[in-house]
Amino acid sequence: MNIAIVGSGYVGLVTGTCFAEVGHNVICVDNDDAKVAQLKAGKIPIYEPGLEDLIRKNVQLKRLHFTNSIGEGVEKSQVVFIAVPTPPQHDGSVDLSYVETVARQIAEHIKEYRVVVDKSTVPVKTGEKVAETIRRYAKPGVEFDVVSNPEFLREGSAVEDLMKPDRIVFGVNSSKASALMHEVYSPFNAPIMVTDLNSAELIKHASNSFLALKISYINAVAAICEASGADVEKVAAGMGADKRIGRQFLNAGLGYGGSCFPKDISAFIKISEELGYNFQLLKEVEKINADQGERFLKKLRDKLWVLKDKKIGQLGLAFKGNTDDIRMSVGIRIAEQMVKEGASLLAYDPKGMEKCNQLHPDIKTVNSAYEAANGAEALIIATEWVDFKSLDWVKIRESMRTPLIFDGRNLLDPSEMKSLGFEYYSVGR
Ligand code: UGA
């Protein structure tokens, strides 16, 4: 099939690449000329495992193309996906201006039947607005359908999530659009769930909010574990063994960050409010998450007393492992707070340092975990990078001024760290 994807961010670029990988002919559209030129030259603006190779392969096979012309995308494609940002506004609501602009631009170029698919995370009822907008700006009589097709990929495992999804959801109002969407997704061999437009949009916000709720729940349980001497890892394992609960997203730690959960939970609270429902439960999820970083810093202060002039190493700046993304990262928030309190902080992240250096020049970075630890009075782990597990911890202990570790992601084994001579603190155990 001929498919256009408007927006070459995380979702758009990975989706376009995976569509090409299964045999579709894909045009990725972006209004950022520099990014398009970069992609055409084979340079990938983000780090995502496996993505670079797939892009290169599909460009060579001439199944993946990049352009800054939305007209070209609409003209050459039966199905046009919208994958542009939907950033948060100050009051928690979603800025839909990029989606609206793209809808108008699509309308200007539609000459014959097209399926316009919204993949951006949007509030319920946005599809209806997109349809109204296209109808208003397109030539009279032009036929089209609007579909909602939420994306469930996670950064850091985006390619795998997209190639082997648990489920594919799309909300449609017409059988013609439904048939074309089945054609787009049949090569993926995954269960397809077809709903109405509004339900598909809600599935996305309800899913992300539920996952965030699981994280805040286990973080609240971790606080009880700390107060009672229980071990949150054992509690999570015991809970997770129940198939109805499941072990995933029960990792206690510093809480959730990133460009999705914080934004989507506030948006869902706001949408609910506008629809007349006070989603108090989600407000508590946000509060627990916001407190998690501060509770962690308190442990550090309890041990070091004042942070001013203390040499502290930090491992991890990205909002999670396997990514260079530092947006809304709890690790960045904690680093900034320590710097504010006068700590002499040296941070290291396998992929997130370039973005950190650009956006947070107050956080000093070094080129290795060993440099961050050298001479430090405490070492903090803020991101769940598996690479940190296999560091030479004996070398680190010997280089630190005091062998004090604060593991904010429960990445290391407490008894092993103790046997290596560390004083080791983690979350909920
Ligand atoms: C999340 C969802 O998992 C995806 O399904 C969704 O498509 C995506 O948002 C989106 O809306 O675009 P993502 O934000 O990339 O994906 O990453 P997650 O793996 O969900 O992690 C989010 C945050 O939660 C990270 O900061 C991570 O450290 C934290 N987390 C995750 C925990 O603290 N504990 C856990 O058990 C799991």
Side-chain angles (χ1 to χ4, degrees):
M1 287 184 88
N2 292 325
I3 297 174
I5 316 269
V6 183
S8 300
Y10 270 98
V11 170
L13 191 58
V14 181
T15 306
T17 306
C18 292
F19 282 170
E21 176 65 12
V22 298
H24 296 310
N25 191 29
V26 180
I27 303 181
C28 289
V29 183
D30 205 284
N31 63 0
D32 179 343
D33 293 346
K35 191 192 262 184
V36 173
Q38 217 187 349
L39 285 164
K40 279 185 168 169
K43 290 195 191 106
I44 318 305
I46 52 170
Y47 171 75
E48 191 58 49
L51 184 63
E52 200 167 336
D53 289 348
L54 277 194
I55 291 183
R56 218 166 273 152
K57 174 182 160 196
N58 285 285
V59 166
Q60 257 168 24
L61 290 168
K62 301 203 181 321
R63 291 199 297 235
L64 184 60
H65 314 267
F66 301 101
T67 180
N68 57 5
S69 161
I70 200 163
E72 186 188 341
V74 175
E75 193 184 318
K76 293 183 176 164
S77 316
Q78 296 149 282
V79 184
V80 181
F81 283 79
I82 303 177
V84 292
T86 49
Q89 309 193 95
H90 286 307
D91 63 352
S93 65
V94 181
D95 175 1
L96 289 167
S97 60
Y98 299 99
V99 174
E100 194 265 355
T101 304
V102 171
R104 270 190 287 126
Q105 290 170 338
I106 291 172
E108 279 161 29
H109 293 99
I110 286 194
K111 293 198 185 87
E112 53 187 327
Y113 180 77
R114 293 288 178 263
V115 178
V116 177
V117 188
D118 178 40
K119 209 171 229 319
S120 303
T121 300
V122 292
V124 60
K125 290 169 151 328
T126 299
E128 291 174 1
K129 294 269 184 234
V130 168
E132 272 171 35
T133 305
I134 298 179
R135 208 168 292 124
R136 192 173 312 134
Y137 290 95
K139 286 200 184 74
V142 170
E143 272 190 67
F144 67 91
D145 275 307
V146 170
V147 172
S148 162
N149 171 217
E151 182 46 60
F152 302 106
L153 63 81
R154 290 161 300 173
E155 288 183 22
S157 55
V159 171
E160 211 192 314
D161 289 347
L162 226 139
M163 294 304 288
K164 294 182 207 141
D166 287 351
R167 81 302 202 188
I168 288 154
V169 172
F170 51 80
V172 277
N173 294 332
S174 90
S175 51
K176 193 173 176 183
S178 179
L180 280 165
M181 289 301 288
H182 274 95
E183 217 178 311
V184 170
Y185 278 110
S186 60
F188 289 89
N189 277 328
I192 293 180
M193 303 177 71
V194 184
T195 69
D196 58 281
L197 262 178
N198 291 340
S199 301
E201 287 167 343
L202 264 181
I203 286 171
K204 172 70 188 196
H205 269 134
S207 300
N208 272 8
S209 299
F210 189 77
L211 291 169
L213 180 138
K214 272 186 103 173
I215 299 170
S216 279
Y217 185 84
I218 200 67
N219 281 333
V221 171
I224 307 300
C225 287
E226 280 171 19
S228 62
D231 180 337
V232 74
E233 296 296 318
K234 290 179 185 150
V235 176
M239 286 170 63
D242 184 329
K243 284 198 190 78
R244 294 169 303 172
I245 298 174
R247 175 64 182 80
Q248 290 190 60
F249 280 71
L250 286 181
N251 295 323
L254 291 173
Y256 61 79
S259 64
C260 301
F261 285 173
K263 159 180 91 102
D264 290 352
I265 282 67
S266 334
F268 202 28
I269 291 172
K270 192 76 191 161
I271 295 158
S272 309
E273 201 178 289
E274 279 160 14
L275 293 169
Y277 181 73
N278 176 9
F279 217 143
Q280 197 63 46
L281 177 66
L282 289 185
K283 292 181 185 169
E284 200 52 37
V285 167
E286 278 190 327
K287 189 181 174 317
I288 292 169
N289 196 58
D291 290 349
Q292 214 49 22
E294 190 42 46
R295 279 170 34 78
F296 183 74
L297 281 173
K298 187 177 175 302
K299 286 183 200 163
L300 184 71
R301 289 190 207 102
D302 283 350
K303 210 66 214 168
L304 295 182
W305 192 17
V306 278
L307 301 189
K308 192 166 181 296
D309 296 334
K310 297 274 159 64
K311 192 161 181 246
I312 298 170
Q314 178 167 327
L315 304 185
L317 292 163
F319 84 98
K320 62 180 278 191
N322 267 346
T323 181
D324 62 347
D325 196 346
I326 56 164
R327 286 176 289 176
M328 298 293 283
S329 165
V330 189
I332 294 277
R333 210 175 71 216
I334 282 179
E336 290 208 305
Q337 181 59 32
M338 288 188 286
V339 170
K340 205 166 134 196
E341 291 180 36
S344 159
L345 183 81
L346 292 180
Y348 167 75
D349 187 281
K351 296 282 174 199
M353 293 203 299
E354 203 179 311
K355 288 185 175 153
C356 180
N357 292 339
Q358 280 164 13
L359 298 168
H360 304 275
D362 49 325
I363 301 172
K364 286 207 185 76
T365 57
V366 286
N367 289 325
S368 75
Y370 302 106
E371 268 184 74
N374 191 25
E377 293 183 52
L379 189 64
I380 282 173
I381 299 175
T383 306
E384 60 271 47
W385 273 102
V386 279
D387 311 36
F388 297 153
K389 283 190 187 193
S390 53
L391 289 169
D392 183 343
W393 286 100
V394 173
K395 183 172 158 187
I396 288 184
R397 192 205 62 226
E398 282 164 1
S399 76
M400 287 179 72
R401 180 164 181 187
T402 33
L404 199 53
I405 296 207
F406 292 86
D407 181 353
R409 295 292 177 182
N410 289 358
L411 202 67
L412 305 171
D413 178 5
S415 51
E416 207 178 307
M417 296 316 282
K418 272 172 205 155
S419 71
L420 288 176
F422 285 103
E423 198 177 325
Y424 174 83
Y425 298 91
S426 51
V427 181
R429 53 181 196 169

